[in-house]
Amino acid sequence: MAVALLGGALLSPVGLAHAAPPEPGQSVAQGKNWTVRPVGDGYEVTLRLDTPAPMRNALPLIAVNGEPVGVAKQSADQRTVSLVSPDPTLLQAKNVELVWSGDLGRNDGKKGKSLAGGVTTDKDWLKAPLGPKLAVDPGATGKYAVETAEYNLGDQAVYLPGLGQKSEVVGKVYSPKGAVGARPLVIFLHGRHSVCYGTPTDEPANPWPCAKGEKAIPSYRGYDGPAKALASNGYQVVSISANAINAYDGGVFDTGAQARAELILDHLDLWKKWSTVGGGPFGKKFVGKVDLNNVGLMGHSRGGEGVARAAVLNADRGGKYGIRAVLPLAPTDFARATVPGVAMSVILPYCDGDVSDLQGQKFYDDTRYSVTGDAATRSTVTVLGANHNFFNTEWTPGQSVAPSNDDWYSDNDKAAPCGAKYAGRLTPKQQQAVGTAYVAGFFRLQLGHETKLLPLLDGSNAHPASIGKAVTRVVSQAPVATRRDISKLDAALPKGSVTGSAKATVCGGVDEATQRAAAVATCLKTDNGSDSPHWVTAYLASKTPTTAVTKLTWTGKTGVVRIKLSAYQRDVRRYSALTFRATPDPSGAPKTDLSVRVVDGHGRKAVVPVSAVSDALLRMPGAHDSGLPKNLLRTVRIPTSSLKGIDLRDVRAIELATDKVATGSVFVSDLAFATPGLGVSAPSKLPQVSASNVGKVAEGNSGVKNLDFWVTLSRPSIRPVSVYAESNSDSPAVASIAKHLVFKPGQTKQKVTVAVTGNTRDSYDTPFGLVLSVPHDALLGQSIGNAEVIDDDPTPTLTIGSPTAAENAGTIKFPLKLSAPSDKYVWLGGDLKDGTAVIRKDFTTLDDDGTQNPPDTSVYGQIEPGKTTADIEVKLIDDHVKEPAETFSVNLTSVEGVDYLVPALIKATITDND
């Protein structure tokens, strides 16, 4: 189902790589509601929609001739989408449409072919082992009865600077009845969903609050399962509403992550008051009942990015609240943020049809080594058969009060592996049981320190009874105190490490036809980036390198990769397992194997086949379509207790041997010895790295103007600090900049200069940002520096002539004329109106074939950038009847790109030739 380039994966707002500039005089391609036209050194695609774009968590894509081109920029009313790309072939467009991750390449029930001979592993995953039974079931009801209540302080109760709008303050509260003392607090935040339902009795003036006749969709009520599981075990849970953010975040540069974080902290401010001095809707009820030094955050979809940002924002503000655990559920990650210092688990639904590239994987990848000595633990949980929506009952058909849907669409309900009736697909209730177990289990482990729950998230895949047949796979990074990293496998190995028939190279991206050339070696070729969550670029940080891993290929059974241990690494007795991440190359066999050899100082070897302990080298399910199968690194975990016959005090090397299969190719990463542990989780005290705002700058009439952003640290660091910085604009006038900034110890300031080219033609104002991503040994403070290039050229005037033509002329043209050339695309739309001349008797639209009744009367016109004239053309009908001159009109109802008062009636005259 999924063709995300993303949320979406997603191409940057700039579009694709630079191509040759358009030739002077190149024409536009156009259809009834779309155009492609040259602009600057690229091509702008604009699509006008009959109805506002639907509310999705993934970002919208524009597809040209059925192929996705990039992320669309949406107008405030959600009715116009556009993007700029340097691809000149877009002028050959025959069709332009709005699509989302998953809307193309749907599984239609036809037999798909994998990259390796048409063989899939679907049957293997239907009988996949579920893992050992977990001693404690986090999905089970605890000893406390659960009380629920709601608070509603109004639809516009708090102003969110990150949104520039007021938001509702609404929440549902779940409390353990009779619990004594202050309870850990967990905040839930839903994702981006439609905000209102019903039929408005008045035309809505704004997207929020809801209009008369409509009701607000209560997305915040959709997590009763995990909320009640936690509350019954002694936790205070509050699920909050974010409809205002969903209504307005289409116009916010960061897609609303900052606003969602601010809303969470605003709710925490209220709970600080309510739990200390009381007041508000609850009086003294919660005084002394809430522990704000022990807080967890769960965010679904865009809410996942929101809770990640909230944890960092809280740390930036001095750690006002003790946010110690963050769970992004099917999250977006548009900006490559890190969440250091705080325990984190990311849930990834395999059949996600919305955020279908599982971009939340990058929260784990980017955070795992982002801070020297980070004491927190982190994990990912891949849930086979789960979609995006069904974790929330208010997004689930048959359970929701408002219309809802299965986001994984298939024409064939029985199609593997995600069809609604396929044996491996989870029902809504089964999926919700998984969500309940892992959400409740994570917070009970991290906030309640219930160590019996460690096997749920340590990579051993212990199976809670309440999730039934659901297949999950966990990847875990143990805390630094109980982990010894041997090799990250993200850099070239020392000379002599690879022998025999093996070859090892470092890669860090995908080679995709629709993406620019990669700056580093690519891991694989794909026609659908959503199949590779580790390696597809992010929307706001498209130039930031993705996860580097080692690609191991071999052509015989003699290959060996030998990783030597230094003297301080050799005594591994205190660790319970040897672990690494691995996945097969999709261009190879669907199932492969390696031997892992652990070698001691006497040359003795303990040998374990990967297949004996893990299915990491079994390709994940799905044919080669719909963004499946996913290429996800998974856990290989070898208990040290199984390494017989060697001295664990003196381990000298780890070898990966190709002796099991004659040829193959796999990706490997993160080799370490580890013991599961809780770690230490708390708001980080790292320095903050921020980008300054430049503000509004006049474009100028010629030459180049340099805009200086300052990237600063809040205080000097004793270690080097690094961060990626890139400019992000869809205007060719703004230069594309990408830098890896390194602050030396003591250094706190660096300049990044972005060039802007001026001209004398009217154009749009251009807001853009300098985006910071993937910091090392620092927190992101203000992660986006904002600037806006203000066009300072006068808007030309438009005149429209009233034409006259003989009825046998074929067409009549309404002349359009600008007083001066513009960089804007000028578009006009309206309807034909009868006068003494009658439609289909005397005149009609150019595309009218006579089959549509009543006839479509819509007409359009456009003036290309750089030109001053064009026309609106109407077909004339020669009736061979002698008659007087007749008239009809074009009623203009919309004009874009120039100031012109509408509606306006423009008359035309048809003269008789009989």
Side-chain angles (χ1 to χ4, degrees), residues 87-167:
D87 184 0
T89 65
L90 295 181
L91 287 175
Q92 301 169 19
K94 303 297 182 185
N95 174 263
V96 174
E97 58 186 334
L98 176 69
V99 299
W100 305 80
S101 53
D103 283 349
L104 299 178
R106 292 171 174 169
N107 190 331
D108 59 5
K110 297 178 181 178
K111 186 177 181 180
K113 290 186 177 181
S114 71
L115 287 177
V119 179
T120 72
T121 60
D122 298 338
K123 292 182 179 179
D124 296 271
W125 287 100
L126 283 178
K127 57 185 180 183
L130 300 181
K133 184 179 178 180
L134 187 64
V136 177
D137 186 358
T141 301
K143 66 180 182 179
Y144 295 101
V146 178
E147 292 181 311
T148 63
E150 292 198 10
Y151 57 95
N152 185 339
L153 305 189
D155 288 338
Q156 295 180 302
V158 62
Y159 178 77
L160 301 177
L163 190 68
Q165 301 285 344
K166 290 182 177 180
S167 169

Side-chain angles (χ1 to χ4, degrees), residues 578-749:
L578 170 65
T579 69
F580 60 94
R581 295 195 294 169
T583 192
D585 184 339
S587 63
K591 188 175 185 179
T592 189
D593 205 359
L594 292 168
S595 288
V596 181
R597 302 170 180 170
V598 183
V599 186
D600 70 8
H602 295 285
R604 295 173 299 203
K605 297 182 179 180
V607 182
V608 180
V610 168
S611 59
V613 294
S614 172
D615 50 22
L617 295 183
L618 174 69
R619 183 185 300 152
M620 300 198 80
H624 183 57
D625 60 7
S626 306
L628 299 175
K630 302 296 184 193
N631 301 301
L632 280 170
L633 294 160
R634 284 159 284 141
T635 297
V636 178
R637 189 174 187 270
I638 303 172
T640 51
S641 60
S642 69
L643 301 176
K644 305 299 185 182
I646 64 169
D647 185 357
L648 294 178
R649 296 173 299 180
D650 188 26
V651 174
R652 297 299 180 97
I654 309 297
E655 294 179 349
L656 302 179
T658 68
D659 57 345
K660 306 300 291 182
V661 179
T663 61
S665 181
V666 300
F667 304 103
V668 290
S669 178
D670 301 340
L671 182 65
F673 283 94
T675 298
L678 288 171
V680 177
S681 181
S684 176
K685 297 181 180 180
L686 291 166
Q688 301 146 34
V689 59
S690 298
S692 68
N693 294 325
V694 172
K696 296 183 178 182
V697 180
E699 170 197 80
N701 293 332
S702 63
V704 174
K705 180 176 293 185
N706 289 327
L707 306 186
D708 292 335
F709 291 86
W710 289 96
V711 181
T712 58
L713 282 182
S714 59
R715 57 179 170 80
S717 173
I718 60 173
R719 298 190 188 99
V721 168
S722 65
V723 69
Y724 291 90
E726 61 184 86
S727 60
N728 227 318
S729 169
D730 59 2
S731 170
V734 179
S736 178
I737 298 294
K739 293 190 174 185
H740 185 219
L741 304 178
V742 178
F743 293 82
K744 298 176 182 178
Q747 185 180 9
T748 60
K749 195 173 186 180

Side-chain angles (χ1 to χ4, degrees), residues 103 786 881:
D103 283 349
N786 296 301
V881 176

Side-chain angles (χ1 to χ4, degrees), residues 32-33 50 827-833 839 844-848 852 854-861 872-874 890-891 893:
K32 177 182 175 182
N33 61 341
D50 293 333
W827 182 86
L828 305 89
D831 297 285
L832 297 174
K833 296 293 182 185
I839 192 166
T844 190
T845 63
L846 292 178
D847 298 325
D848 185 12
Q852 182 175 337
D856 181 10
T857 61
S858 302
V859 289
Y860 305 90
I872 298 174
E873 195 168 6
V874 177
V890 168
N891 180 34
T893 55

Side-chain angles (χ1 to χ4, degrees), residues 61 113 185 327 464 717 777 789:
L61 311 175
K113 290 186 177 181
L185 174 65
L327 191 150
S717 173
D777 280 327
V789 179

